[in-house]
Amino acid sequence: MHPETIQQILLVRRPKGMPVEEDFKFDQAPMPKPVLNEVLLKTLYVSVDPYMRGRMSDRKSYVPPFQLDEVIKGGVISEVIASQTPEFSEGDLVIGNLGWRTYQTAHEDELRKIDEKLAPITTHLGVLGMPGLTAYFGLLDIGQPKVNETVVVSGAAGAVGSVVGQIAKIKGARAVGIAGTQEKLDFLKNDLGFDEAINYKDGDFYEQLKQTCPNGVDVYYDNVGGEVSDAVLRMINHGARIPLCGQISLYNLEKPDIGPRVQSQLLINSALMKGFIVSDYAKEFQEAEQILAKWVQDGKIKYRETIVEGFDNIIQAFLGLFEGDNIGKYLVKIADQSK
Amino acid sequence: MHPETIQQILLVRRPKGMPVEEDFKFDQAPMPKPVLNEVLLKTLYVSVDPYMRGRMSDRKSYVPPFQLDEVIKGGVISEVIASQTPEFSEGDLVIGNLGWRTYQTAHEDELRKIDEKLAPITTHLGVLGMPGLTAYFGLLDIGQPKVNETVVVSGAAGAVGSVVGQIAKIKGARAVGIAGTQEKLDFLKNDLGFDEAINYKDGDFYEQLKQTCPNGVDVYYDNVGGEVSDAVLRMINHGARIPLCGQISLYNLEKPDIGPRVQSQLLINSALMKGFIVSDYAKEFQEAEQILAKWVQDGKIKYRETIVEGFDNIIQAFLGLFEGDNIGKYLVKIADQSK
């Protein structure tokens, strides 16, 4: 029933600046066989995420770099189609940090079972997965929004930012989102209930920021960095908190990232800026997942997904992250479930 | 016994860049008379501090700007020479945020009595006063040094920095000081027990920093900002903490402070940067003063003062702060105690 040959994607060259298709190679390999404690998996969904760009360079980042000529790994949802472990059975759906492959084997320790009755399976790559947890911990542990405070989030229509603004609202704060298209602004205000949404591409962006944050900025959840962040940081209040989640505007920058040094702003405002990665909070994942799931069930957190189909489109989807192509979580659907 | 005319110093022009003598005016006024709940004070010591530069500009800073044509105020130790309040008696020594004046009246609420038996009175402007408390809270609350961690402090030979390094040592960390003269480096290593001290003016400063911090930097207590800080920030470890106490290299800068944006460094290291002002910790001052006094008594914290004499030399001393003239606390002695 399954093919004798699988498809996979290798990193063959470290991108200089913006990645291009030539940095990747579509490759084939024989169908692998699981050994003891392993399963054979059919890939259903591949997640494309901005942080993966960091792993494509060989400089220090969150996580170790990908190796050249090896298969790229990221968040993947798969179906177990053969098992050599009592932990998993044929038909189980699993999530893991797995290869961009149509089929693959994996050790039982690399996988977590997902319950398809609880929520749509793709949510485990989005609002109930790494992006949702990233929003949750960065905002609540570092940002600590209080009632009536102003929370600004950049990259607001993305998988992380869209959850940040909604959690801010749950906590009684005002949520102001920054995004790059009118469609995204409408989504933030009309669908997600952000108080305000503004477009960083507008010539009068800074004026709009001042108008939409008349009481200044108490929390700035930063996904983008660069000049957008420079503008928001000019408006922080005394005691402001700035969780640094991502700097997507810089990931493909070839020259040094030069701009106004932020230290004086932090100093005169007794403000806090902190970087983090979601794995810093691994011990608290389970509790947070339950809280997020409840908020989703209660309709307090809504989500959207941008899903393209086909293994051949993974690279295009990944590159599209840096063009702002997606609203909400960006996924590639590779195959249907068997049943 | 006391003169009929007092001397005072006004701010008559907001400095552009580095302050010059013409920004200030030596002025005279009649000897004031205390009314009910006031005392008449003779100034003994005037403190000159880098933060005062911020108050001379009219942009937002820690504290409100000085008003033009008004007397400059700062840390002052005085002797009560006449009293209209039961709170203070003739001969009492007091400290307060007072004018750069040879004599002045002050309301009882503006003053705190100091006990000359406990420690030399000038320590209340230095190691047991605002600079010592600034070192204490910035390092212990934000920096939180742990045993064997590396603590780097810039402006290390100043009133704040010299205490920072010694508290780091008390907590079992390695202390690396950055200063600008060989005399200061010798003072830090030989007198204060810093593990290492390096000169930011050396051409191979960054190389020296790498050699003296072979395990990277866990805490960077920043008094100076600018390129010195850029270099240290390149070396921070995962989970580093960066208390922002001052940015003296920038206080007289006329152009925007441009440099490498620090966000990516903080992000990939899950590092924290936080500005503060000592008054954020006002509720904890009393406890901290007792701890600092004990450390001084036990010889665990040593201090040095740079004292010049004469009211006429206040401006020169203040300007000298930005030339690195002082080792330890910089004070101007105005008069002897009466008894």
Side-chain angles (χ1 to χ4, degrees), chain B residues 58-237:
Chain B
D58 56 5
R59 55 176 177 236
K60 186 178 175 184
S61 179
Y62 293 119
V63 278
F66 292 127
Q67 296 303 304
L68 283 183
D69 300 320
E70 291 195 358
V71 174
I72 290 174
K73 291 177 101 172
V76 167
I77 290 175
S78 296
E79 178 182 340
V80 175
I81 57 173
S83 178
Q84 296 288 345
T85 160
E87 296 289 316
F88 297 98
S89 312
E90 206 174 315
D92 280 352
L93 298 183
V94 296
I95 187 168
N97 192 53
L98 299 170
W100 281 1
R101 288 180 154 130
T102 49
Y103 293 81
Q104 61 198 304
T105 54
H107 191 276
E108 59 187 15
D109 293 345
E110 295 182 82
L111 305 171
R112 221 156 51 102
K113 215 175 288 190
I114 58 183
D115 182 352
E116 59 189 307
K117 287 169 204 138
L118 208 66
I121 62 172
T122 52
T123 58
H124 295 281
L125 290 172
V127 63
L128 301 183
M130 184 272 288
L133 293 168
T134 300
Y136 181 93
F137 289 108
L139 183 65
L140 296 181
D141 184 60
I142 302 172
Q144 300 186 15
K146 294 171 191 62
V147 173
N148 292 329
E149 284 192 333
T150 297
V151 174
V152 174
V153 53
S154 56
V160 174
S162 56
V163 178
V164 168
Q166 294 180 88
I167 298 178
K169 293 298 295 175
I170 290 169
K171 297 297 177 183
R174 289 183 70 242
V176 177
I178 301 172
T181 68
Q182 188 59 46
E183 186 188 4
K184 291 179 181 177
L185 303 188
D186 294 342
F187 166 64
L188 295 174
K189 287 193 71 166
N190 303 336
D191 296 354
L192 302 190
F194 278 55
D195 295 279
E196 301 281 356
I198 56 180
N199 190 334
Y200 69 88
K201 294 175 180 169
D202 286 349
D204 63 344
F205 167 63
Y206 185 57
E207 289 305 312
Q208 291 186 40
L209 195 59
K210 285 197 282 189
Q211 280 165 21
T212 54
C213 303
N215 301 319
V217 175
D218 300 293
V219 178
Y220 173 47
Y221 191 108
D222 185 14
N223 287 305
V224 307
E227 291 182 8
V228 171
S229 295
D230 294 342
V232 181
L233 291 169
R234 280 197 268 167
M235 295 189 51
I236 58 172
N237 291 331

Side-chain angles (χ1 to χ4, degrees), chain A residues 230 257 259 261 270 273 275 280, chain B residues 230 257 259 261 270-271 273 280:
Chain A
D230 295 343
D257 176 35
R261 289 193 187 88
S270 289
M273 178 176 267
D280 295 341
Chain B
D230 294 342
D257 175 35
R261 288 194 187 88
S270 289
M273 178 176 267
D280 295 341

